[in-house]
Structure formats: structure tokens, C-alpha cells
Amino acid sequence: MKTHAIILLAALSLSCGSRREEIIFTPGAPWPDNNGVHINAHGGGILQRGDIYYWYGEHKVAGAAGNVAREGVRCYSSRDLLHWTDEGIVLPVVKGARHSPVLEEGCIIERPKVIYNSRTKKYVMWFHYEPANHRYDCSYSGVATADSPTGRFKLLHYGRQNAGCLPLNALPLHASRVYNPEKNYPGGSLPRHPDSLNLIARDFDGGQMARDMTLFLDDDGKAYHIYSSENNSTLHVSLLDDDYTNYSGTYARLFVNRFMEAPAMFKREGRYYLIMSGCTGWAPNAGRAAVADSIWGTWEELQNPFRGEDAGVSFRSQSTFVLPVQGEETRLVYMGDRWNPKDAIDGRYIWLPVTFEGKQPVIRWMDSWTLQ
Ligand code: GAL
């Protein structure tokens, strides 16, 4: 069976004749950590600090039981993006806590992302949070901070977003605050969802929903939370406060009624990009991409970035993060999850280079590849 591998190449260097290591990624193969155990960091994201990368993701256990949180958020560290050291659970769920309804075993903690705040010197984690036994109904965001990248992270708060605030690009009907409950539908993956329902009005007082999410830290130190809202029908982008731990109240609606999920944002040549998926649960679908000159839009939707066989199902993956290797926007790595809801712990990781045809991001399948 193929695994992610390292091969030693004799470097034909006239000057030193030393050996050079080549890092080879093998998308979809089991990926052992320093203990030989398949990496357990699903729906993850990466934070680079100095020359160390930290990979945060959902720890999953075996079987369908692993589709909810049994342990919490796990972290790994690496200097070369191939060899990962298990740093353990950095945000644990509370086990057997009869009196604590917060982060209890069996809750849902998805798509954790961490950014560093150089002013407060805190590592700030945001994640999609659903208390146990509420399915995906609450649509909360959780926020936790730590003094070190390997935690432990302490939960600050969780809840809905932007209560009492209208989006920057509110329509007159949002300002009218008339929700049309008779037109309501229970959510799910319906591809058509009339904006006239006015879910912004429904959630105005209690706060807007947030499910699939990512964070984006811009060059100017401003940080954003990007998430599926309005019953997944519409993506929102929210500016965070200076501590990155709360909302600023400024947000916008993007891709109205397009049911975008799994957002991964990056910047290249001054433009903002999103790679996303459609909304079909654990089953893969065709990837989506978009570009904008400003994070607030106007966003231009591009073509499916995946090319070739299985492009219609994003090579059986769903986006979670795009990593600029060593911060270089010319070396971008797509990170996706190949979910396995019947045996959640065996979800695989699809990492592939992102190239460009003009403004269009392009991801091609490769059985193996190197950063060179
Ligand atoms: C996916 C989503 C995952 C998880 C899953 C549950 O669409 O991207 O993070 O929420 O649905 O069915």
C-alpha cells in the first residue's frame, strides 16, 4: 500500500556531495504521524509560526460514532509538511459531564482553524459548534484561545453571529425585517432557496447561523470569519474585532442562494480567492471557485477548479484549506478531506498543488508530487 513517503536522493552537488531529502505527497494514502498512526485532523487548517507548521483538525474515532466529537481538536507539528508530530488534543471535549452542556462528548466540533494575534499574543481558534443531541440546528461558532500553538485552548464563548446587525449589502427586504415563515423549509441541501424567505430577518435578534467555516488573516492584520449561513444557502464574511475573538458587527452576504460550503480562502496577486464545495453532506460534489478584488465583493464565480477524471466530485474530496507554503502565494497547496462517514477515523487527506490559468485556480490529480 502506498503511504506518504520520503526518499533520499544522493545530491549530485559538486560542492558538498551531501544527501538531499525529497518530500513526496501521496494524496488519499494513509498518512502516518511520528507514532505510525494515520493523522487524525479532519476538516483542518494550518498555522505557520516561524519554520514550524501546526495542523489543527477534528479528531475522529472509528465507525459512524466518529461523526461527532469524542475527543476534540487534535494538533500536529511539522517542519516539512510531510512528517507530522502528534501534539495531542489541544481542545478537549468534556467527558461524562452531566452538568456541563459545553463541549460535551457527542457534540459537533467541525472545521477548527487557528490564527495568531500578534497584539494579544494569543492563538485564536474558531470552530463550528453544535451542542450534543442538537444535530446541526444551533449553528454556533466556538472561540477558544491559547498562549501556545499546542494549547491547551480554553473556550471563551460560543453562539450565533452578528445579532442585531444587518449585512453591508442588505436588501430593502432585510431592513424591513419581515420574515416569511409560511415559506419556510427545514434546511438541507435544496439547491434553490428563494431569498424572499428573509432568513436574515428571522435570525436578526438571535444572530445569524454559521456552519462550515474558515478564518482568513489578511496582510493588514484584519481577520475574517467566512461561513455558511442562512440554512447553508448563503455564505457570510464577517470582520472580527482586533482581538480576533468576537464580531465587529461588519459583515456581508456572498453567493446568495448558491449553497456554498467548505470555504477555503487565500490571496494571490492582491486578489482574494475562495475554493468551496456545494452542499451534499459527507458526499463529495463538484468544487467551486471565486475571485474578488475586495473581500466584501463583488465576487466573481469561476469554474470548478478540479480538472480531469473525478473532477465532478473534486477527486472525492471536499475543500478545507489552501496553504501558501512558507507564506508564498506562488506555492499554494489545496487541502481537502475524503470523508468516510461509515468509519470516520479513516478519512483521507487530498493535498494537491493549486496552479492558475489566468484568474482560474486549477487543481489536477497527481498520484504523487513534491514541493519542488
Ligand atoms: C458537510 C460539511 C461537513 C459536515 C458534513 C455533515 O457538508 O462540509 O463539515 O458538516 O456536511 O454532514
Side-chain angles (χ1 to χ4, degrees):
M1 184 183 286
K2 282 187 280 183
T3 65
H4 283 73
I6 182 166
I7 58 168
L8 296 172
L9 296 178
L12 298 175
S13 158
L14 290 176
S15 57
C16 63
S18 62
R19 292 197 311 170
R20 177 166 64 88
E21 287 186 343
E22 193 166 7
I23 304 291
I24 299 183
F25 295 94
T26 316
W31 195 339
D33 67 6
N34 59 314
N35 300 314
V37 176
H38 180 52
I39 289 172
N40 202 333
H42 309 268
I46 287 186
L47 168 74
Q48 188 184 352
R49 292 287 295 150
D51 57 359
I52 302 182
Y53 296 95
Y54 297 93
W55 177 355
Y56 302 89
E58 306 159 26
H59 176 104
K60 294 198 181 275
V61 301
N67 293 319
V68 295
R70 304 283 169 190
E71 298 289 338
V73 176
R74 190 170 277 281
C75 174
Y76 295 82
S77 63
S78 173
R79 286 175 191 274
D80 63 10
L81 292 172
L82 181 71
H83 300 88
W84 292 93
T85 300
D86 182 12
E87 301 286 355
I89 296 290
V90 294
L91 180 76
V93 296
V94 183
K95 300 203 181 193
R98 286 201 190 132
H99 303 295
S100 168
V102 178
L103 298 191
E104 70 277 52
E105 186 180 359
C107 69
I108 289 171
I109 297 177
E110 287 181 345
R111 301 186 174 275
K113 304 287 179 294
V114 175
I115 51 177
Y116 177 67
N117 188 305
S118 52
R119 198 176 56 81
T120 61
K121 309 215 178 324
K122 295 277 187 195
Y123 294 82
V124 184
M125 179 190 292
W126 284 69
F127 54 93
H128 170 198
Y129 173 57
E130 305 282 350
N133 307 315
H134 283 74
R135 302 178 306 168
Y136 284 86
D137 295 340
C138 293
S139 309
Y140 292 150
S141 305
V143 184
T145 59
D147 295 324
S148 132
T150 52
R152 283 197 171 183
F153 283 77
K154 189 168 172 290
L155 182 72
L156 290 187
H157 56 83
Y158 65 90
R160 287 281 186 101
Q161 340 300 330
N162 294 313
C165 302
L166 283 175
L168 289 175
N169 51 355
L171 302 170
L173 89 119
H174 298 138
S176 78
R177 295 185 49 195
V178 177
Y179 168 47
N180 289 321
E182 73 278 8
K183 290 191 189 165
N184 196 11
Y185 80 105
S189 57
L190 296 176
R192 286 181 202 84
H193 169 209
D195 199 32
S196 58
L197 281 180
N198 202 356
L199 299 180
I200 290 283
R202 181 193 66 185
D203 296 334
F204 185 83
D205 292 326
Q208 302 297 321
M209 303 169 83
R211 291 185 180 142
D212 276 14
M213 55 139 278
T214 195
L215 295 178
F216 180 71
L217 181 56
D218 210 342
D219 321 319
D220 59 3
K222 290 196 166 113
Y224 301 85
H225 186 214
I226 299 111
Y227 49 91
S228 306
S229 193
E230 301 179 47
N231 289 61
N232 291 344
S233 68
T234 299
L235 210 68
H236 287 188
V237 55
S238 278
L239 174 68
L240 300 182
D241 69 3
D242 289 346
D243 291 353
Y244 307 161
T245 56
N246 267 299
Y247 284 88
S248 65
T250 302
Y251 73 108
R253 307 170 77 223
L254 313 179
F255 314 108
V256 173
N257 297 337
R258 282 288 289 142
F259 286 84
M260 300 293 199
E261 280 200 324
M265 184 177 278
F266 58 97
K267 208 169 174 182
R268 179 179 177 269
E269 294 176 352
R271 292 195 179 104
Y272 298 83
Y273 286 87
L274 275 165
I275 289 181
M276 302 161 283
S277 74
C279 186
T280 53
W282 300 119
N285 54 55
R288 299 177 182 184
V291 62
D293 291 333
S294 156
I295 201 164
W296 304 115
T298 305
W299 282 85
E300 176 192 351
E301 200 174 332
L302 304 167
Q303 291 167 4
N304 176 357
F306 297 90
R307 295 287 167 85
E309 203 182 329
D310 274 350
V313 285
S314 307
F315 307 141
R316 293 189 288 129
S317 76
Q318 189 182 26
S319 42
T320 186
F321 200 75
V322 172
L323 173 70
V325 178
Q326 287 167 1
E328 291 172 27
E329 57 180 40
T330 49
R331 288 208 294 174
L332 298 166
V333 176
Y334 163 82
M335 293 168 54
D337 291 283
R338 183 173 286 171
W339 304 111
N340 184 349
K342 291 193 177 133
D343 189 17
I345 196 172
D346 194 32
R348 303 292 175 86
Y349 308 102
I350 306 298
W351 287 24
L352 288 164
V354 182
T355 55
F356 279 82
E357 290 173 2
K359 281 196 287 188
Q360 172 69 47
V362 172
I363 303 168
R364 291 180 205 281
W365 180 261
M366 284 183 255
D367 289 338
S368 63
W369 58 280
T370 75
L371 284 174
Q372 283 71 44

